[in-house]
């Protein structure tokens, strides 16, 4: 189906089902129960899952296939965001032109940065991309204030009157898709459970699914094979009559466009942007998402993005009072002890948990979450000697970068 | 006028004159062997032909076109393929993919943006790739990852990758080094068969005299960066200069 | 002219910090082939060694001072540091004030241990792993270390002043024959630079003139061959890791009076230090030092008001701009070798 093999179609449908049913799947605990802390099915967080998923899918096309490790991809995300918000300020509050603008801007900027950075490989390439991104960040923060809004960034304001919208004087515009407000939600109450279906989330989710589909096509195309050849042996590639530069540049621009899509989606959701979106930590985050999930696998980056965003949002909200509530059934001494043990890992300490998770994953699951999934899968179907898991061939592409 | 003309080529690495005043003409549709002791500059000479190195002096022309200043992929597109001394293959890819890549390069040129076409739908390419794998009797290994092949198989795979491009000039740098006797003989047979079937010129560097004498029509002896003699195989054995410089230490 | 000298001087201390961190990074990369994202954390731990020592030295017991009374008329209770009790009030006070320089002695064994434990406990298992794994695991470690420090010392910067003897500034211009009051330079920055120069010289001398250093250098150039000679290169590389940790730690200790340490100072320096290492050329020790100073000084020049007037924002981007230009014109950085980490 869709020009994909059965395996890939299954994967695509699986991911589609997960994302479309996310409001249910992510809210497994009844409202007001002690476990409701772990519910992630609220619009803001779900949007972040799919937006960063998109970002990571695109990053993986570059890093996973060609092995070129960009440390500056957040710059494209930021540029996409700025492009999108200007589209909304000037032209229309409809998100589609904004998102398209984000993709185009990011693509053009990636073309420029990629053209220069790809003259070098290895860590030299990484540092070049880092340098470009940090420069973009610094400039957006300072000199380019007239177009970036400097430190405060850009928001939709009452003074913005987009050409194609008929706002009442003084009304602040809201992002919409042909009239459907991005922030509008439908809430479904079933017993103690509350499920929220948010328009913005579904738009972002559809964008991610399209992105995911395209990424599968790229992985399975001759172009994708060439990219893997670049990673494997660039010298042999050249002596085979292939010019590796246009391939890597195309991959770079494509992944930059994914970042721009993510940036445009962010603006479509919350109609604001600030320069910190381009800071190196943001670039580092997408690298970690890809590695955590499984570099070079199709679904890994999405899992990695989900994992990191989940921890960031859920763990950081848990506090001692909640811990006490959980462990209230224990004798007081043990309760206090448990709270004291868990205290460093929650709330502001969620970074600690994240750091330990990184270490544990790399030490015990070098292939990331996907490898973990495969190991579990293998336990369940031992007899299947061929290990025809959807990801196994992609996972084999990993190699030491030495 | 040969298909490949090397004139006065010299190459220096710091204090080492690796090649000096090399003149060599390879006639079309012949097998030309280049022999010589280790460090004579044989691999360096090939590097100068394929664009890996730029010679300090002299000229290299292939079918009347200068090769100097061209990038490796441009030279390959002109019809020059090379098998390296240490196998250069796509170690992370499967054997079949290794052979499909040169097929694509041969058909589509140096760059083709076919990001949405499926590899699976490229039946022509696949057939061609499987044919050549059968020719080098590696078809049953087509789904293995190339890095898991034995050394001899890696070499054969690399040869298949070059042959599938149907090159006009095939450069082979010690193609049988590290191969078992039987594999060496298979390789000789394969190269002979290719030579009979297609219009192909080969330049082959080889230490194994059995291979050289089975295949070569002309032999150039290189020593310390300069050609000593160029002769037919019959005449080379008795040649006093060669005996002195080379064959004295090799087992004939 | 005065302005130029002043900017060079201003660039020296930051340059020194870059150089010291980059030196350690390069040592680790060159010997172990590991990309160590936790190196900034070592710098930070060094700085917190100074904080810790300051706290230890200030540990006090309560004494009732009968001669004075508090506002309720009760005898006043005062905290007296133990060191005062042992060395007398004056000497004790001096020791506390000198806690930063003293922390050097404290930091050396601590950093040695930290470095050793890190290498044996974690890094060792990652020699043969892809760089991506090394980055992720050391990055995770850096976060963990950073959070642990935050848990113990809080999120705010902790002032750790230099000894009073060095807190002021002096007129460097007058010393070298310029008009007075043109080039005023804080003592501690001069000390920091001198100290950095000393540490760098010591590391180079160690590598150059000891057998140990010779083996390590040979190992950096060609690990396998040295291994073939029957030399246990791994043990020496572990030592080198510990030494690199000490270098980073000392850089951190001495930096505390310049910038009050906080838990994220390591990360702040890490990224720039990587740029420094790469600009210097992966695997080249002199390159790392040179690039550290060059970038530090250029950064200080770019923050001159005159320069900013001409090119707005240049102070923010100068390091990255220079890095881009150098990497494009010199493919392997200032002094890099061919083939190191290019794929
Ligand atoms: N890139 C290079 N840099 C420096 N010296 C080289 C390089 N390539 C080859 N050499 C030297 O040139 C000489 C010829 O080498 P080569 O052509 O590989 O000899 P062979 O005839 O055995 O293939 C050798 O002494 C080798 O060390
Ligand atoms: Mg050779």
């Amino acid at each position: 189906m869709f020009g994909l093999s059965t395996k890939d179609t299954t994967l695509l449908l699986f991911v589609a089902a997960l994302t479309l049913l996310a409001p249910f799947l992510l809210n497994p605990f009844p409202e007001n129960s002690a476990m409701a802390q772990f519910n992630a099915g609220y619009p803001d967080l779900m949007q972040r899952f799919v937006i960063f998923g998109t970002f990571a899918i695109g990053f993986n096309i570059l890093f996973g296939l060609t092995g070129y490790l960009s440390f500056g991809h957040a710059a494209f995300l930021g540029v996409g965001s700025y492009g999108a918000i200007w589209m909304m300020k000037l032209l229309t509050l409809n998100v589609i032109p904004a998102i398209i603008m984000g993709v185009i801007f990011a693509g053009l900027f990636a073309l420029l940065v990629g053209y220069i950075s790809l003259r070098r490989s290895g860590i030299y390439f990484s540092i070049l991309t880092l340098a470009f991104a940090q420069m973009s960040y610094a400039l957006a923060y300072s000199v380019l204030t007239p177009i970036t809004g400097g430190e405060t960034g850009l928001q939709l304001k009452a003074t913005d009157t987009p050409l194609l919208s008929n706002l009442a004087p003084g009304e602040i515009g809201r992002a919409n898709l042909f009239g459907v407000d991005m922030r509008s939600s439908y809430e479904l109450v079933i017993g103690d459970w509350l499920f929220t279906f948010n328009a913005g989330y579904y738009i972002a989710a559809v964008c991610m699914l399209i992105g995911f589909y395209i990424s599968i096509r790229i992985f399975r195309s001759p172009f994708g094979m060439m990219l893997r050849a670049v990673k494997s042996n660039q010298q042999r590639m050249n002596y085979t009559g292939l010019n590796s530069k246009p391939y890597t540049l195309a991959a770079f621009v494509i992944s930059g466009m994914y970042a721009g899509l993510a940036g445009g989606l962010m603006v479509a959701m919350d109609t604001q942007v600030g320069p910190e979106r381009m800071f190196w930590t943001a670039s580092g985050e997408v690298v970690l998402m890809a590695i955590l999930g499984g570099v070079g696998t199709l679904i890994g980056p999405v899992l990695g993005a989900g994992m990191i965003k989940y921890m960031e949002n859920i763990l950081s909200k848990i506090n001692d009072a909640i811990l006490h509530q959980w462990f209230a059934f224990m004798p007081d001494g043990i309760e206090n002890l448990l709270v004291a043990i868990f205290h460093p890992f929650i709330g502001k300490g969620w970074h600690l948990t994240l750091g330990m998770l990184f270490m544990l994953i790399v030490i015990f699951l070098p292939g990331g979450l996907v490898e973990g999934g495969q190991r579990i899968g293998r336990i369940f179907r031992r007899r299947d000697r061929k290990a025809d898991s959807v990801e196994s061939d992609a996972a084999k592409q990993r190699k030491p970068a030495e | 006028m040969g298909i490949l003309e090397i004139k006065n080529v010299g190459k220096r690495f710091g204090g080492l004159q690796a090649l000096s005043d090399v003149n060599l003409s390879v006639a079309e549709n012949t097998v030309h062997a280049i022999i010589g002791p280790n460090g004579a500059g044989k691999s360096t000479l090939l590097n100068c032909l394929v664009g890996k190195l730029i010679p300090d002096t002299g000229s290299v022309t292939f079918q009347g076109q200068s090769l100097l200043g061209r990038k490796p992929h441009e030279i390959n597109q002109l019809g020059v393929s090379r098998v390296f001394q240490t196998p250069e293959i796509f170690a992370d890819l499967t054997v079949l993919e290794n052979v499909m890549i040169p097929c694509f390069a041969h058909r589509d040129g140096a760059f083709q943006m076919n990001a949405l076409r499926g590899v699976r739908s490229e039946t022509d390419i696949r057939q061609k790739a499987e044919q050549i794998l059968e020719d080098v009797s590696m078809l049953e290994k087509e789904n293995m990852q190339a890095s898991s092949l034995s050394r001899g198989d890696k070499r054969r795979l690399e040869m298949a990758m070059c042959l599938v491009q149907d090159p006009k000039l095939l450069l082979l740098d010690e193609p049988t080094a590290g191969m078992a006797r039987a594999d060496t003989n298979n390789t000789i047979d394969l190269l002979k068969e290719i030579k009979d079937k297609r219009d192909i010129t080969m330049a082959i560097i080889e230490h194994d005299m059995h291979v050289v004498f089975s295949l070569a029509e002309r032999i150039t002896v290189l020593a310390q960066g300069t050609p000593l003699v160029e002769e037919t195989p019959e005449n080379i054995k008795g040649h006093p200069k060669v005996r002195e410089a080379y064959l004295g230490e090799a087992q004939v | 002219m005065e302005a130029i000298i002043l900017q060079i001087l201003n660039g020296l201390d930051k340059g020194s910090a870059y150089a010291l961190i980059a030196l350690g990074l390069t040592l680790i990369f060159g010997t172990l082939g590991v990309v160590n994202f936790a190196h900034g954390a070592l710098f930070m731990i060094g700085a917190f060694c100074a904080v810790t020592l300051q706290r230890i030295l200030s540990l006090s017991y309560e004494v009732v001072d009968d001669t004075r009374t508090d506002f309720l008329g009760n005898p006043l209770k005062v905290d007296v540091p133990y060191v005062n009790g042992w060395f007398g009030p004056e000497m004790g006070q001096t020791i506390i004030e000198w806690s930063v320089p003293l922390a050097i002695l404290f930091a050396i064994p601590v950093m040695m241990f930290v470095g050793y434990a890190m290498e044996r406990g974690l890094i060792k298992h990652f020699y043969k792993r892809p760089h991506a794994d090394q980055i992720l695991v050391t990055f995770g470690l850096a976060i963990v270390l950073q959070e642990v420090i935050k848990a113990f010392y809080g999120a705010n910067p902790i002032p750790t002043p230099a000894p009073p003897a060095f807190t002021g500034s002096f007129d460097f211009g007058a010393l070298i024959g310029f008009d007075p009051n043109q080039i005023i330079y804080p003592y501690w920055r001069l000390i920091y630079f001198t100290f950095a120069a000393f540490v760098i010289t010591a590391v180079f001398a160690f590598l150059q003139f000891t057998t140990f250093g010779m083996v390590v250098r040979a190992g950096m150039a060609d690990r396998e061959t040295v291994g073939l000679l029957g030399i246990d290169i791994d043990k020496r590389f572990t030592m080198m890791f510990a030494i690199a940790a000490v270098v980073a730690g000392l850089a951190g200790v001495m930096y505390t009076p310049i910038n009050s340490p906080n838990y994220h100072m390591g990360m702040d320096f890490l990224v720039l230090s990587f740029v420094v290492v790469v600009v210097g050329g992966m695997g080249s020790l002199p390159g790392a030092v040179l690039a550290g100073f060059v970038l530090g000084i250029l950064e200080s020049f770019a923050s001159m008001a005159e320069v900013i007037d001409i090119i707005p924002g240049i102070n923010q981007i100068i390091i990255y701009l220079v890095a881009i230009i150098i990497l494009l014109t010199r493919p392997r950085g200032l002094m890099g070798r061919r083939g190191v980490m290019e794929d």
Side-chain angles (χ1 to χ4, degrees):
Chain A
M1 213 198 296
F2 312 117
L4 301 179
S5 67
T6 344
K7 263 190 329 191
D8 293 337
T9 314
T10 318
L11 182 67
L12 179 66
L13 292 178
F14 176 67
V15 173
L18 282 189
T19 33
L20 297 180
L21 297 178
F24 291 112
L25 299 173
L26 294 175
N27 259 5
F29 307 111
E31 211 63 6
N32 307 323
S33 72
M35 297 304 277
Q37 296 300 331
F38 291 106
N39 280 344
Y42 53 95
D44 193 37
L45 181 54
M46 289 196 299
Q47 289 167 3
R48 239 168 288 169
F49 284 154
V50 285
I51 291 175
F52 280 92
T54 311
F55 190 19
I57 290 171
F59 179 78
N60 189 45
I61 290 178
L62 179 71
F63 181 45
L65 288 178
T66 69
Y68 276 78
L69 175 57
S70 162
F71 234 90
H73 252 52
F76 308 126
L77 184 99
V79 168
S81 289
Y82 283 117
I85 194 124
W86 273 112
M87 204 64 183
M88 283 194 177
K89 276 174 174 291
L90 298 178
L91 187 67
T92 164
L93 291 165
N94 191 321
V95 293
I96 294 207
I99 292 172
I100 292 176
M101 211 46 168
V103 174
I104 293 177
F105 267 53
L108 290 175
F109 190 53
L111 184 66
L112 175 77
V113 172
Y115 185 79
I116 299 173
S117 304
L118 285 166
R119 299 164 71 105
R120 299 285 169 263
S121 54
I123 191 139
Y124 296 102
F125 167 82
S126 305
I127 295 290
L128 280 172
T129 48
L130 171 74
F132 275 111
Q134 285 294 84
M135 276 179 24
S136 316
Y137 163 75
L139 292 178
Y141 205 88
S142 58
V143 184
L144 296 179
T145 302
I147 43 174
T148 60
E151 194 182 342
T152 44
L154 297 173
Q155 303 81 20
L156 287 188
K157 295 209 182 80
T159 46
D160 291 325
T161 46
L163 232 75
L164 299 181
S165 66
N166 33 10
L167 291 174
E171 184 187 352
I172 297 180
R174 287 167 147 245
N176 65 68
L177 177 75
F178 306 114
V180 181
D181 191 327
M182 286 297 107
R183 277 176 271 184
S184 61
S185 294
Y186 169 71
E187 293 192 340
L188 174 69
V189 181
I190 303 178
D192 284 343
W193 280 267
L194 172 71
F195 304 108
T196 315
F197 302 87
N198 171 260
Y201 167 71
Y202 276 100
I203 297 207
V206 168
C207 286
M208 187 197 84
L209 286 175
I210 296 174
F212 187 62
Y213 169 70
I214 295 178
S215 124
I216 300 182
R217 292 294 296 256
I218 291 177
F219 267 64
R220 304 292 183 236
S221 71
F223 173 75
M225 198 160 87
M226 296 306 172
L227 296 182
R228 285 186 290 132
V230 170
K231 180 177 181 176
S232 184
N233 190 341
Q234 204 161 142
Q235 160 144 318
R236 174 36 90 192
M237 182 151 179
N238 291 332
Y239 291 109
T240 306
L242 294 160
N243 187 1
S244 48
K245 178 89 187 259
Y247 284 102
T248 45
L249 185 58
F252 193 88
V253 172
I254 291 173
S255 77
M257 287 163 78
Y258 272 81
L261 174 63
L265 285 171
M266 278 183 188
V267 168
M269 299 304 127
D270 56 11
T271 60
Q272 59 170 0
V273 48
E276 72 288 340
R277 214 165 265 187
M278 307 211 260
F279 196 56
W280 73 266
T281 46
S283 298
E285 194 178 46
V286 74
V287 178
L288 298 176
M289 286 173 179
I291 302 179
L292 187 69
V295 178
T297 63
L298 283 166
I299 200 173
V302 185
L303 296 180
M307 183 98 181
I308 290 182
K309 286 292 149 189
Y310 183 82
M311 292 184 45
E312 178 183 320
N313 286 277
I314 302 295
L315 280 179
S316 62
K317 270 197 311 221
I318 299 174
N319 54 33
D320 282 2
I322 297 173
L323 285 184
H324 277 290
Q325 199 183 321
W326 288 352
F327 298 124
F329 65 95
M330 295 270 189
D332 268 5
I334 298 182
E335 176 185 332
N336 289 339
L337 180 71
L338 282 174
V339 172
I341 291 175
F342 281 104
H343 173 82
F345 298 96
I346 52 156
K348 286 202 179 105
W350 75 273
H351 277 111
L352 181 62
T353 320
L354 189 69
M356 298 187 64
L357 182 79
F358 285 165
M359 294 175 64
L360 291 176
I361 296 251
V362 192
I363 294 169
F364 297 109
L365 284 178
L369 296 173
V370 166
E371 187 176 314
Q374 277 168 11
R375 285 193 196 174
I376 294 171
R378 238 171 283 149
I379 294 171
F380 277 107
R381 26 187 195 107
R382 270 273 156 74
R383 357 167 225 127
D384 220 15
R385 275 282 141 222
K386 274 174 148 183
D388 63 332
S389 126
V390 186
E391 294 289 349
S392 64
D393 39 328
K396 272 190 221 132
Q397 301 304 337
R398 285 170 48 84
K399 71 149 198 176
E402 283 176 320
Chain B
M1 185 75 183
I3 190 170
L4 179 71
E5 293 284 340
I6 301 169
K7 293 228 168 70
N8 305 324
V9 162
K11 180 74 197 173
R12 171 176 277 282
F13 295 118
L16 175 85
Q17 188 73 41
L19 294 175
S20 53
D21 213 15
V22 177
N23 285 290
L24 193 69
S25 171
V26 178
E28 194 159 0
N29 293 337
T30 60
V31 178
H32 197 124
I34 301 168
I35 61 172
N38 271 325
K42 305 179 298 292
S43 298
T44 305
L45 181 61
L46 290 200
N47 288 342
C48 289
L49 303 183
V50 295
K52 190 172 186 182
L53 290 175
I54 300 170
D56 304 329
T57 61
S59 66
V60 179
T61 51
F62 173 70
Q63 292 186 318
Q65 289 170 296
S66 172
L67 291 186
L68 299 187
R70 286 181 202 260
K71 299 228 174 71
H73 68 89
E74 294 167 342
I75 293 175
N76 177 279
Q77 291 281 345
L78 290 177
V80 182
S81 288
R82 172 176 182 184
V83 175
F84 284 79
Q85 191 168 349
T86 43
E88 293 279 353
I89 53 176
F90 302 113
D92 307 323
L93 274 55
T94 65
V95 169
L96 181 66
E97 285 172 329
N98 265 276
V99 194
M100 284 173 86
I101 286 176
C103 295
F104 279 116
H106 189 58
R107 189 189 72 186
D108 302 338
F111 174 67
Q112 174 89 49
M113 186 71 201
N114 40 14
L116 297 179
R117 203 166 349 128
V119 171
R120 288 181 315 137
S121 61
E122 305 275 2
T123 40
D124 296 3
I125 296 266
R126 193 185 170 114
Q127 268 170 10
K128 199 173 159 192
E130 287 184 335
Q131 180 58 48
I132 193 78
L133 284 179
E134 190 166 358
D135 291 350
V136 297
S137 47
M138 286 185 70
L139 189 55
E140 72 280 12
K141 295 179 179 147
E142 67 173 358
N143 288 322
M144 276 172 73
Q145 198 178 329
S147 59
S148 60
L149 295 174
S150 70
R151 270 185 77 158
D153 276 350
K154 282 183 183 162
R155 224 169 251 290
R156 271 197 294 173
L157 173 61
E158 194 184 5
M159 218 176 294
M161 291 163 71
C162 289
L163 288 173
V164 80
Q165 291 195 306
D166 208 358
K168 297 184 190 119
L169 174 63
L170 179 62
L171 306 170
L172 298 141
D173 198 342
E174 306 193 13
T176 66
M179 270 192 195
R181 190 81 246 175
D183 281 343
T184 305
N185 287 335
N186 286 340
T187 307
I188 296 176
D189 293 342
L190 173 71
L191 290 175
K192 268 188 179 154
E193 195 188 317
I194 300 276
K195 191 178 89 175
D196 293 340
K197 269 205 262 179
R198 313 181 186 182
D199 284 345
I200 189 169
T201 313
M202 297 187 203
I204 177 167
I205 294 175
E206 192 49 77
H207 285 301
D208 187 335
M209 288 306 139
H210 172 59
V211 180
V212 173
F213 289 123
S214 323
L215 287 168
E217 289 145 79
R218 288 199 75 78
I219 299 177
T220 296
V221 182
L222 205 64
Q224 288 169 0
T226 7
L228 278 185
V229 206
E230 192 191 315
E231 267 299 351
T232 56
E234 298 76 48
N235 295 345
I236 207 110
K237 284 184 191 162
H239 208 289
K241 264 191 181 169
V242 180
R243 188 168 292 273
E244 183 187 317
Y246 186 85
L247 293 186
E249 51 182 283
Q251 69 286 27
V252 187
Chain C
M1 187 62 200
E2 287 86 351
I4 293 177
I5 293 180
L6 186 64
Q7 292 313 320
I8 292 182
L9 288 174
N10 280 340
L12 282 183
D13 58 306
K14 225 170 192 184
S16 308
Y18 291 153
L20 286 174
I21 301 177
L23 184 70
L25 269 177
T26 305
L27 270 179
I28 292 176
F29 177 75
T31 49
L32 308 172
V34 170
V35 182
N36 183 19
F37 263 55
H39 205 68
L42 293 171
F43 176 72
M44 185 250 328
I45 293 179
F48 277 88
C49 281
V51 174
T52 311
L53 189 70
Q54 188 192 3
R55 297 218 168 147
I56 293 177
L57 292 178
S58 312
L59 280 181
S60 307
Y61 56 94
E62 261 183 10
V63 179
V64 180
D65 187 346
D66 293 322
T67 59
R68 291 189 283 168
T69 51
D70 63 13
F71 63 98
L72 290 176
N74 300 322
L76 188 70
K77 288 180 187 160
V78 286
D79 288 340
V80 178
Y82 286 102
V83 280
N84 286 19
W86 301 334
F87 299 103
E90 237 157 71
M91 189 60 190
Q93 210 48 47
T94 315
I95 290 181
I96 293 176
E97 282 161 358
W98 279 72
S99 59
V100 170
L102 286 175
I104 294 177
L105 301 177
F106 175 62
I108 290 178
V110 172
M111 295 311 298
M112 276 247 164
F113 173 74
V114 170
Y116 183 83
M118 210 160 131
E119 202 272 341
R120 285 291 97 182
L122 183 73
I123 310 280
K124 180 179 85 171
H125 307 289
F126 282 81
Y127 290 162
K128 295 255 166 350
R129 299 273 290 269
H131 287 306
D133 288 2
Q134 298 172 352
I135 289 174
L136 190 64
V137 81
T138 51
F139 192 79
L141 179 65
I143 295 177
V144 169
L145 292 173
Q146 177 170 314
E147 290 299 311
V148 168
I149 292 289
K150 187 167 94 178
F152 279 100
Y153 293 90
N156 296 324
I158 300 167
T160 24
F166 300 123
T167 41
S169 304
F170 67 107
D171 196 334
F172 186 78
L175 272 184
I176 54 169
F178 285 103
D179 294 338
N181 290 327
Q182 289 293 313
I183 307 177
I184 306 291
Y185 198 58
Y187 283 113
W188 189 260
R189 295 189 169 208
L190 185 71
I191 289 180
Y192 193 76
F193 168 67
T194 319
F195 175 77
F198 170 76
V199 172
I200 292 168
T201 317
V203 170
F204 276 91
F206 177 74
L207 288 176
Q208 201 68 39
F209 300 120
T210 61
T211 347
F212 185 104
M214 224 176 66
V215 174
V216 168
R217 274 188 300 132
M220 280 174 85
D222 184 351
R223 186 176 184 142
E224 259 129 57
T225 312
V226 176
L228 289 180
L229 297 175
I231 298 170
D232 182 1
I233 196 77
D234 283 359
K235 201 175 265 165
R236 287 163 213 256
F237 281 178
T238 307
M239 269 315 290
M240 274 332 284
F241 194 95
I243 290 174
V246 171
V247 170
L250 293 185
V253 169
M254 296 296 275
Y255 205 69
T256 50
I258 299 178
N259 257 341
S260 300
N262 56 34
Y263 71 98
H264 54 77
M265 66 190 291
M267 281 294 177
D268 300 346
F269 265 89
L270 177 79
V271 170
L272 281 176
S273 303
F274 258 104
V275 175
V276 167
V277 168
V278 171
V279 165
M282 273 323 267
S284 160
L285 294 171
V289 174
L290 178 71
F293 282 112
V294 167
L295 292 182
I297 290 170
L298 280 177
E299 194 180 18
S300 130
F301 268 111
S303 44
M304 287 167 74
E306 294 88 333
V307 179
I308 295 178
D309 280 347
I310 306 171
I311 320 172
I314 185 73
N315 55 327
Q316 310 270 350
I317 60 169
I318 179 78
I319 288 200
Y320 299 107
L321 197 62
V322 172
I324 290 172
I325 293 171
I326 289 182
L327 288 184
L328 290 180
T329 49
R330 296 190 58 94
R332 278 165 281 276
L334 290 173
M335 307 176 81
R337 274 179 292 133
R338 203 187 169 80
V340 179
M341 238 193 137
E342 284 185 273
D343 33 46

